[in-house]
């Protein structure tokens, strides 16, 4: 009688530590909006959403860790393709580790679809979770800090001195930091997928609005 072969168990702790160590090296602090701390927050949020939504952590974990594997600056013309470049690099890395092959295409999709610039619809639960986790990190107190960190990297002022609130001009977040809240970030909550993320997103948007009222008072 042949002994039935058991499927190998997934060692979550081993893979988490391996990916975490890789991420420490992969994401320097030269771009505070997309550094290791950003990735760590996205991974933590993704893990919580994964548990709440009963998703496949084997897919969500590497996609969350390596969604920004190739970091293209915001003002670079290649920006819309950054997530696809990151997906390719991630799959090559996972192949070198002999990670479970059945996860490769779902991981690829989750990474490609996370990007707002790429405009790729998330069609799986795991992709929706990675997308939500990354977008939530653009909101709230951390979102404010990331916005102004990016402003510094792009050499754009925090706001227009003549018309801070775009009352007589078009919004332009390539020129002014505060414009980014109105042009993109406030709209993100409408593009969140899971109910848990939407609830948290509303909370973080409310905080940003309170913060902007204080800026208005100060300037």
């Amino acid at each position: 009688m042949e002994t039935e072969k058991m499927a190998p168990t997934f060692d979550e702790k081993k893979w988490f530590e391996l990916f975490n160590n890789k991420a420490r090296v992969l994401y320097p602090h030269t771009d505070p909006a997309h550094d290791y701390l950003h990735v760590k927050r996205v991974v933590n949020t993704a893990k919580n959403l994964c548990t709440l939504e009963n998703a496949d952590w084997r897919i969500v974990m590497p996609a969350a860790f390596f969604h920004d594997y190739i970091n293209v600056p915001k003002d670079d013309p290649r920006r819309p393709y950054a997530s696809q470049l990151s997906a390719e690099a991630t799959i090559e890395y996972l192949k070198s580790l002999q990670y479970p092959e059945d996860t490769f295409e779902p991981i690829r999709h989750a990474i490609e679809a996370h990007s707002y610039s790429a405009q790729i619809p998330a069609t799986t639960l795991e992709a929706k979770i990675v997308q939500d986790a990354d977008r939530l990190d653009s909101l709230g107190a951390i979102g404010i800090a990331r916005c102004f960190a990016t402003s510094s990297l792009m050499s754009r002022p925090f706001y227009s001195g003549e018309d801070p609130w775009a009352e007589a001009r078009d919004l332009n977040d390539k020129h002014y930091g505060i414009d980014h809240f109105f042009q993109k970030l406030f709209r993100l909550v409408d593009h969140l997928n899971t109910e848990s993320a939407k609830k948290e997103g509303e909370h973080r948007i409310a905080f940003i609005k309170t913060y902007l009222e204080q800026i208005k008072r100060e300037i």
Side-chain angles (χ1 to χ4, degrees):
M1 182 176 177
E2 291 187 9
T3 303
E4 185 178 346
K5 291 184 178 180
M6 297 289 291
T9 58
F10 182 76
D11 191 339
E12 177 185 323
K13 183 178 179 182
K14 179 194 81 171
W15 289 112
F16 187 95
E17 290 179 353
L18 190 63
F19 294 159
N20 191 47
N21 289 336
K22 175 70 172 177
R24 287 180 188 275
V25 177
L26 188 61
Y27 302 104
H29 294 297
T30 50
D31 179 0
H34 299 90
D35 63 359
Y36 169 69
L37 296 178
H38 160 66
V39 169
K40 194 174 177 181
R41 291 190 301 270
V42 170
V43 169
N44 288 339
T45 300
K47 180 66 181 293
N48 290 335
L49 292 175
C50 197
T51 300
L52 290 169
E53 302 294 331
N54 196 28
D56 191 339
W57 183 232
R58 299 179 311 148
I59 296 167
V60 172
M61 177 169 49
F65 265 115
F66 303 121
H67 68 279
D68 282 336
Y69 201 114
I70 305 296
N71 184 16
V72 179
K74 292 282 188 184
D75 54 353
D76 190 301
R78 298 172 301 156
R79 180 68 184 177
Y81 309 106
S83 65
Q84 295 170 58
L85 296 172
S86 292
E88 286 297 326
T90 298
I91 297 304
E92 289 304 310
Y93 170 63
L94 295 178
K95 285 179 180 178
S96 74
L97 301 176
Q98 297 184 317
Y99 196 72
E101 289 187 20
D102 63 306
T103 65
F104 287 175
E105 288 311 306
I107 290 169
R108 183 194 304 276
H109 173 61
I111 294 175
E112 288 181 345
H114 93 273
S115 170
Y116 188 89
S117 303
Q119 295 293 297
I120 297 173
T123 60
T124 66
L125 176 58
E126 289 74 23
K128 291 175 181 179
I129 284 172
V130 174
Q131 192 181 83
D132 281 357
D134 183 58
R135 290 180 179 181
L136 281 174
D137 206 53
S138 296
L139 303 176
I142 284 291
I144 292 169
R146 293 181 70 215
C147 178
F148 289 125
T150 300
S151 291
S152 295
L153 288 174
M154 293 175 64
S155 298
R156 68 184 179 189
F158 292 160
Y159 55 87
S160 163
E162 292 73 31
D163 187 1
W165 311 105
E167 294 171 329
R169 63 175 177 82
D170 292 332
L171 290 167
N172 190 335
D173 62 359
K174 287 183 173 57
H175 291 169
Y176 308 110
I178 282 179
D179 284 26
H180 192 58
F181 295 114
F182 298 98
Q183 196 166 342
K184 177 183 176 182
L185 299 189
F186 287 158
R187 300 175 182 176
L188 282 184
V189 73
D190 296 326
H191 297 280
L192 296 173
N193 303 288
T194 62
E195 290 304 314
S196 300
K198 289 176 182 177
K199 183 177 180 180
E200 178 62 19
E202 293 285 0
H203 174 75
R204 296 189 185 198
I205 288 288
F207 180 84
I208 294 177
K209 289 181 177 179
T210 298
Y211 174 82
L212 290 177
E213 285 298 319
Q214 179 64 20
I215 286 188
K216 182 179 288 188
R217 179 173 175 270
E218 292 180 11
I219 65 176

